[in-house]
Amino acid sequence: MNQPFSLFLSRVVASLLVMVLALSAMGVFLIWAARSVDREDIRRQREIAGYALREIRSNLAHNQESSTFWDDAVEKTAAVDNQDWIDGNLGSWMHTFFGIDESYVLDGQDRPIYAFAEDQTQSPSFYEARLDAVRPYLKTLRTKLAAGEAPVEGSQEQSISVTDYIYIAGRPSVLSLKPILSDSGRLDQPLSTIYVHVAIQHLDGDIIHRVGQAHVLQDLKFIPKAERDPGAASVALMSDAGDVAIEFEWTPFKPGRRLLASLSPVLALVASTLMVGTLLVSSASYRRKLDRIKNSEHIRYLASHDSLTGLPNRSAYEKAADDQVTALSLRQQSGPLAFLYMDLDRFKQVNDIFGHQVGDAVLVEFARRLAEVLPANASAYRVGGDEFAALIPNRTTREVESLCTRIIDSIAEPVEAEGRRAFVGVSIGVAVAPHHGTDRQELHRKADVALYHAKMAGRRRFSIFGTQMDDAIQNRAAIESDLREALRTAKGLSVVYQPKFASDGSRVLGAEALVRWQHPQRGAISPGIFIPIAEEASLIADLGLWVLETACRDAIAWPIAHLAVNVSPVQLRATGFAETVFAVLSKTNFPAARLELEMTETDFADSEEIGLQNIKALNAKGITIAIDDFGTGSSTFERLRDISFDRIKIDQSFVKNITESKGDAEIVRAMISMAHAKGLKTTAEGVETPEQRDVLRAFGCDELQGYLLGRPMPPTQLSKILRTTVVATL
Ligand code: C2E
Ligand code: CA
Ligand code: CA
């Protein structure tokens, strides 16, 4: 299960579940409480119902008494023609006044003399129908009368009675028998003369409805056993003998349920609020936890990745390198594994001059272009400020070489950022496992040495580790101190001059000063090696100055149009460089107009402010500028538009191929015609064959320089040549 999902389950779903359970428990409790309240209330209602219904029985006897315990009644019932009186006091009247359903008056021999039933006076014979039901009770009453029994102690009755619950003609009823007795006691009543009043109150009629209303027992009614409603509340009235049960039922009032019903909207609101609250709180906690997890994942990612370029970082590189080297030595992986160590050229300057934002953009862009060029199974890393590494498995040396070239080409296009165009290059050092070692650190060190070598060889190149490099590096420190010493004493240093000819080869137009160093022990050391060392060791300013001064002295008398002297970008970037040049000119009396300074095009992008100021100042004095090695970098005329210069020196690499490669020839032709269109002079370097010379001449190149026409030579030798050759008129 994925992590966020299980976290979601544990945080949100679990919280909701717990809340649902808690709310359900609460609901169950509320329902239980309501039920028990209801049960309790129904019990109470049952008591009330029983009491109210029993009251009908006691009331019946009591009501009878209002007319049966009375001297008048004794006399009037015994009189002849008594029907009206009886009806007015014991029959219709009782029906009207007390709602008694049936009344009968029996004489001393239990013969009916009056009957009232079904809302009207009936013939006394109507009593026949009640005879069987009443008989046992009548017997009891007579027995009690004979025994002279007094009314029940504590009852409100003043005369005895016999009452009971009974079914009469299938109808549930209360039966009450009362003797008609003298209330004053003045009348003598022998047992055989005592009349009896029989009252029947049906319990399935109106009276029950009234009792129900009076005691708030909804729909209270008699209910035959077969029709019992299980949902209704009920109570039974039992006959004294226990053989008759009259059941009543009503719709019970359920206060608990009602309370619950009235509370339910509020409860629902509370419950949903709690649910929503839980959801919010738990999902917030889920999100927080998720964020923490993501953060820790992010931290892990950050720990292994460079945040700027998104490439894995140095520690990731070391781990991957270790793993792959191990796999290689365990033969889990076939083929070689190339370690590429890359360093951006002049990145520091881009950062210094354009600012860090542009610098960052350059790094990001390089990472992007690098990723585009690398094969799928290779991986790239950012291992330092402007240092990158790549691990390339299973490639032949040739393939790695062409890959390096593609990487170098990829960054040849300038990086545009913040409205600036930044030109950087990349130098690459390569070591290959297992050929150069089977230990990550050893391989990395060798790639680093190769990188250093590439830098020293002039940047924008790659070199594959060779054992001689190790020596070179070790020698470097010695070379540096020896060069310092040579500069101090001027011993071993010299300047040679390579003539530059008009394209017809007949005239010497100028000469380029090239420094030479004869090392006391090592012999001649190439400027290609010691110039970069001088640049790094801050010796170039002194060395450059020394060459300039020497050249000016040597060339002052030569009949050439211009003396060309190389200037390192490090010199050009130094404040006051132009002034030091002027100082040399005035010291040697060399005319400014005859001095041409050669600088490489790539320097200008870096040397913007100070470099441009220097160039302006030099121009102002009439010193001309030549762009050296033109075409090697990512040079375009457009790129150089801010710089005022006078000449381009087409790089040897183009000249070399000019007779073989149509493409190169086309490029050279375009360079020359564009330069001319802009009023610039052109010099072709490294002309070694007559064919090259002829092509260049056909293209209209102004000036040719190369071994074919003249090698770099000591000043004395050039002096001789100049004396014998036709030289340009000054
Ligand atoms: P560069 O300025 O491009 O100088 C031309 C290089 O090409 C010189 O190498 C020269 O000897 C060589 N060359 C000339 N004609 C031919 C040819 O026909 N075929 C071939 N294969 N090579 C030819 P060098 O003298 O070894 O100088 C190497 C680089 O050292 C120069 O390249 C320049 O960048 C630098 N350098 C030399 N002297 C100075 C100096 O006084 N100051 C500074 N800053 N740099 C210097
Ligand atoms: Ca040069
Ligand atoms: Ca050159």
Side-chain angles (χ1 to χ4, degrees), residues 561-611:
H562 60 268
L563 165 69
V565 178
N566 292 287
V567 169
S568 153
V570 177
Q571 289 173 274
L572 187 67
R573 273 199 302 276
T575 332
F577 168 68
E579 285 69 30
T580 57
V581 173
F582 303 150
V584 170
L585 291 181
S586 58
K587 196 168 161 190
T588 55
N589 267 325
F590 196 88
R594 287 179 60 204
L595 181 62
E596 186 164 279
L597 297 179
E598 294 189 4
M599 339 189 155
T600 54
E601 49 178 325
T602 49
D603 303 333
F604 295 112
D606 306 333
S607 56
E608 260 216 279
E609 302 306 329
I610 302 169

Side-chain angles (χ1 to χ4, degrees), residues 628-629 651 685:
D628 208 351
D629 303 344
D651 193 68
E685 296 182 315

